[in-house]
Amino acid sequence: MTMSKSSSGKGSSGGGKSGGRGGGRMNAGAAARVQSAAARNPDSRSAQSGFDSRAQSAAAKHDRGQHGQ
């Protein structure tokens, strides 16, 4: 029995470039989750690409922008 793509059981998990739930903005909580996941699995693509560091930087920039408004 083959399954069609629409019934593969994959739901919306916040994938894509915007990250899903956060409206495309990296915040401190999201950056902390990324860093934690990278620390748990240092062989992951996120850890090896340095995404954890970039996420932290983006969150800091976002936070600075929020305080100026």
Side-chain angles (χ1 to χ4, degrees):
M1 177 176 176
T2 61
M3 297 177 71
S4 69
K5 287 184 181 182
S6 63
S7 64
S8 66
K10 293 181 181 178
S12 176
S13 63
K17 291 187 179 186
S18 69
R21 297 180 215 155
R25 303 283 179 162
M26 182 63 68
N27 61 33
R33 289 189 299 276
V34 169
Q35 287 187 316
S36 176
R40 284 192 309 268
N41 187 2
D43 293 330
S44 70
R45 285 178 58 191
S46 295
Q48 290 188 352
S49 70
F51 181 67
D52 54 337
S53 298
R54 293 193 310 275
Q56 187 65 41
S57 176
K61 288 178 186 177
H62 178 71
D63 287 346
R64 282 194 300 268
Q66 292 294 317
H67 293 297
Q69 294 178 353

